[in-house]
Amino acid sequence: MESLEILWASTGLANFEVGQIVMMLVGLGLLYLAIARGFEPLLLLPIGFGAILTNIPVAGFSEVGGLLHYIYYAGIDTGIFPLLIFMGVGAMTDFGALIANPRMLLLGAAAQFGIFATLFGAIALNAIPGFDFSLQDASAIAIIGGADGPTAIFLASKLAPDLLGAIAVAAYSYMALVPIIQPPIMKALTNEAERKIEMKQLRHVTKIEKMVFPLAVLLMAIFFLPAASPLVGMFCLGNLMRECGVVDRLSNTAQNELINIVTIFLGLGVGSKLSSEAFLNVETLGILGLGAVAFSIGTGAGVLMAKLLGKFSKDPINPLVGAAGVSAVPMAARVVNKVGLESNPHNFLLMHAMGPNVAGVLGSAVAAGVLLALVG
Amino acid sequence: MENLSSVFAEAGILMIVGMGFVFAFLSILIVAINILAKLSIKFPDPVPQVRRPKTVANVDSGAVSPSVVAAISTAVAQYRKNKIKN
């Protein structure tokens, strides 16, 4: 009889806490979003599964000795996983459209306004009882507006590890929601005539330009913002491997096998932070809300900047491309293309939107560096 | 509340400094790309250079090359000579 009791005490059923059950449901919800709705499935699937694993009673996945504990501390706490992902993203990024039209960098910069405005908003939330965000917390939340998963995880692991789970889930969910969040804002800020504007074809970019570009960006990070150099450095390494043409094997590995392997571990590690104590509180709601605000402001700022730029530019600029200034490569650029085609079926904006899109990646990495340098 | 307002001020400064820095950084990058574009005119892609001789060679072989013309004309001359003799 006694051994039966011991056996019962070691079952999950006897040890379940309400919070764990709720978090498992959250994990299932993420699996549903990933599988049935196609929301960033590559990340939300391992994150959702990690959330289920970490909330299994008795098993202790996220305690010392547990698998997820070690994955988190080896890869996310140290910042290694997001940086490796960033290298892969660098190897996948073609800067040709940006080099051909460098003014698009200003759109990438303007869209980062979403980050800094949200920082303000997060601090303002402290006026409501129940919220207590420090400047570090607020910075980590605000980077969701950069629409760049690895950057958000990197910054959160440095500034606000307690909020990492919620920030990562918010960042990836909103990246998946780009096609729903952005078009209404883009349409509200532009009129039909502006959306019809056709842009001049981009010039040819030579190989040497593409090769020197990552080195130039790295040099600038070294000179002006060493705090951003882990992100920028790994990104430029990946991009140089792509463009130099002599290490195709490394480039292919960085953009395929390596990034896939790291994505699995990154997702599991983020999932391990989805414990009931860390996730089930009013602050998570605040983070989810602020993330949406950050995204919307970033999109709006990009579109307005593109309008301003168009006023002073010889060549016409379709203000829609400003919305691609939030990174979310290449989803945001595709959304721009789609909205542009709705107004003018002969107007393909995809390549023009890729410029601000990759500029947004650089912009959010620079913004992350600024926040690390000032708040970290 | 005083504490809140000081954090507010800090966040505001962070916003201005941050945006300013992002714009400054990317603006310098624009200048850098433009310089790069000017310099790169001196180093055009080697790919078209490699292609050009190839296409030139193709065109030449499409038209009749001088050596082939010479060979044919000597052959014709020789044939005529032989014909006259016969």
Side-chain angles (χ1 to χ4, degrees), chain A residues 29-43:
Chain A
L30 292 176
L31 288 182
Y32 169 77
L33 288 179
I35 298 169
R37 309 298 297 272
F39 276 23
E40 295 283 329
L42 293 177
L43 268 138

Side-chain angles (χ1 to χ4, degrees), chain A residues 175-255:
Chain A
M175 277 166 72
L177 288 174
V178 160
I180 298 165
I181 297 176
Q182 284 200 318
I185 301 168
M186 292 155 75
K187 285 178 185 162
L189 292 175
T190 54
N191 58 39
E192 185 70 18
E194 286 169 330
R195 289 198 289 274
K196 279 187 174 147
I197 296 177
E198 292 189 20
M199 292 175 70
K200 218 175 84 178
Q201 204 183 351
L202 295 172
R203 73 171 172 91
H204 174 72
V205 174
T206 60
K207 195 171 174 241
I208 199 125
E209 279 177 283
K210 286 187 175 178
M211 247 159 55
V212 177
F213 181 78
L215 294 173
V217 174
L218 179 63
L219 199 69
M220 286 193 50
I222 293 170
F223 284 157
F224 301 115
L225 195 60
S229 59
L231 283 167
V232 173
M234 292 305 278
F235 190 78
C236 290
L237 170 63
N239 194 246
L240 184 63
M241 291 198 296
R242 170 200 178 88
E243 300 297 353
C244 71
V246 291
V247 288
D248 284 344
R249 283 166 46 179
L250 303 188
S251 167
N252 285 335
T253 302
Q255 53 182 300

Side-chain angles (χ1 to χ4, degrees), chain A residues 307-368:
Chain A
K307 275 182 142 180
L308 184 73
L309 216 56
K311 289 225 163 69
F312 295 101
S313 165
K314 274 189 307 203
D315 305 321
I317 293 176
N318 189 317
L320 290 179
V321 298
V326 301
S327 5
V329 182
M331 188 90 89
R334 285 196 196 135
V335 169
V336 169
N337 193 45
K338 189 163 162 270
V339 176
L341 284 177
E342 280 170 16
S343 296
N344 179 352
H346 304 292
N347 197 6
F348 292 93
L349 291 170
L350 188 65
M351 277 320 286
H352 298 286
M354 281 314 284
N357 212 186
V358 295
V361 178
L362 287 179
S364 48
V366 172

Side-chain angles (χ1 to χ4, degrees), chain A residues 89-111:
Chain A
V89 174
M92 285 194 261
T93 303
D94 181 358
F95 277 110
L98 181 64
I99 300 172
N101 195 358
R103 277 175 310 169
M104 293 293 139
L105 275 167
L106 292 177
L107 304 181

Side-chain angles (χ1 to χ4, degrees), chain A:
Chain A
M1 203 55 207
E2 201 179 321
S3 56
L4 265 182
E5 260 173 42
I6 296 172
L7 195 63
W8 168 248
S10 69
T11 59
L13 288 173
N15 286 284
F16 258 129
E17 291 162 21
V18 181
Q20 290 171 329
I21 297 173
V22 175
M23 285 315 293
M24 282 193 176
L25 291 176
V26 170
L28 279 176
L30 292 176
L31 288 182
Y32 169 77
L33 288 179
I35 298 169
R37 309 298 297 272
F39 276 23
E40 295 283 329
L42 293 177
L43 268 138
L44 286 190
L45 191 131
I47 290 177
F49 209 87
I52 295 176
L53 290 181
T54 197
N55 284 292
I56 298 176
V58 188
F61 270 97
S62 298
E63 289 154 22
V64 177
L67 172 69
L68 297 184
H69 171 85
Y70 290 118
I71 290 179
Y72 178 82
Y73 279 95
I76 298 181
D77 192 47
T78 57
I80 291 176
F81 288 164
L83 292 178
L84 286 177
I85 298 243
F86 224 54
M87 179 174 77
V89 174
M92 285 194 261
T93 303
D94 181 358
F95 277 110
L98 181 64
I99 300 172
N101 195 358
R103 277 175 310 169
M104 293 293 139
L105 275 167
L106 292 177
L107 304 181
Q112 309 313 319
F113 186 64
I115 294 179
F116 293 100
T118 306
L119 201 159
F120 213 73
I123 294 296
L125 269 188
N126 281 344
I128 304 172
F131 289 100
D132 185 21
F133 291 131
S134 65
L135 212 52
Q136 279 85 352
D137 295 343
S139 306
I141 296 166
I143 201 75
I144 297 173
D148 197 322
T151 307
I153 293 173
F154 180 75
L155 200 70
S157 71
K158 301 284 175 222
L159 296 181
D162 296 339
L163 303 176
L164 191 136
I167 289 174
V169 167
Y172 282 109
S173 308
Y174 289 129
M175 277 166 72
L177 288 174
V178 160
I180 298 165
I181 297 176
Q182 284 200 318
I185 301 168
M186 292 155 75
K187 285 178 185 162
L189 292 175
T190 54
N191 58 39
E192 185 70 18
E194 286 169 330
R195 289 198 289 274
K196 279 187 174 147
I197 296 177
E198 292 189 20
M199 292 175 70
K200 218 175 84 178
Q201 204 183 351
L202 295 172
R203 73 171 172 91
H204 174 72
V205 174
T206 60
K207 195 171 174 241
I208 199 125
E209 279 177 283
K210 286 187 175 178
M211 247 159 55
V212 177
F213 181 78
L215 294 173
V217 174
L218 179 63
L219 199 69
M220 286 193 50
I222 293 170
F223 284 157
F224 301 115
L225 195 60
S229 59
L231 283 167
V232 173
M234 292 305 278
F235 190 78
C236 290
L237 170 63
N239 194 246
L240 184 63
M241 291 198 296
R242 170 200 178 88
E243 300 297 353
C244 71
V246 291
V247 288
D248 284 344
R249 283 166 46 179
L250 303 188
S251 167
N252 285 335
T253 302
Q255 53 182 300
N256 296 297
E257 294 85 354
L258 184 61
I259 203 170
N260 290 342
I261 292 169
V262 176
T263 300
I264 296 174
F265 288 127
L266 183 79
L268 284 174
V270 169
S272 80
K273 290 306 255 184
L274 294 181
S275 61
S276 54
E277 315 80 88
F279 197 80
L280 291 183
N281 50 41
V282 64
E283 291 189 338
T284 300
L285 283 180
I287 291 170
L288 291 173
L290 286 168
V293 171
F295 236 88
S296 311
I297 296 179
T299 305
V303 173
L304 292 177
M305 185 71 191
K307 275 182 142 180
L308 184 73
L309 216 56
K311 289 225 163 69
F312 295 101
S313 165
K314 274 189 307 203
D315 305 321
I317 293 176
N318 189 317
L320 290 179
V321 298
V326 301
S327 5
V329 182
M331 188 90 89
R334 285 196 196 135
V335 169
V336 169
N337 193 45
K338 189 163 162 270
V339 176
L341 284 177
E342 280 170 16
S343 296
N344 179 352
H346 304 292
N347 197 6
F348 292 93
L349 291 170
L350 188 65
M351 277 320 286
H352 298 286
M354 281 314 284
N357 212 186
V358 295
V361 178
L362 287 179
S364 48
V366 172
V370 172
L371 291 174
L372 266 181
L374 293 180
V375 192

